[in-house]
Amino acid sequence: DLLELREAIAENAHDVWAVARMKEGWTYGKVRDDANKKHPDLIPYSALPDSEKEYDRLMALDTIKLVKQLGFTISKD
């Protein structure tokens, strides 16, 4: 269903973001520290608090809406 798709897109978006940060030299830190490239969200998506997952979920939902507005259909085989 669409909630499953939304969650999969949200997780993928987080993973893509995290990989990009790590390639830039960022690592996990308990608090964000731009000078030392530390970020508390460099953890698996499943470990994020819902408040942080919500950002990715909203982006995912907007992506799904755009796909539908462009006339595409979404189906699971």
Side-chain angles (χ1 to χ4, degrees):
D1 72 338
L2 288 180
L3 289 179
E4 179 183 350
L5 177 60
R6 180 196 70 178
E7 199 65 14
I9 293 171
E11 183 171 359
N12 183 70
H14 173 74
D15 292 347
V16 168
W17 169 85
V19 167
R21 295 296 82 75
M22 289 186 285
K23 284 182 180 178
E24 294 171 351
W26 286 77
T27 58
Y28 171 79
K30 288 187 179 186
V31 295
R32 184 173 176 157
D33 179 348
D34 290 357
N36 292 304
K37 293 186 173 182
K38 302 283 184 186
H39 203 292
D41 292 345
L42 283 174
I43 57 177
Y45 179 80
S46 61
L48 288 172
D50 274 340
S51 60
E52 294 301 321
K53 288 179 181 178
E54 193 58 27
Y55 174 84
D56 294 318
R57 288 173 176 153
L58 290 173
M59 181 280 311
L61 187 58
D62 286 342
T63 299
I64 293 167
K65 288 178 182 177
L66 173 63
V67 168
K68 294 179 114 186
Q69 286 173 355
L70 292 173
F72 293 92
T73 57
I74 299 171
S75 64
K76 186 173 181 178
D77 294 332

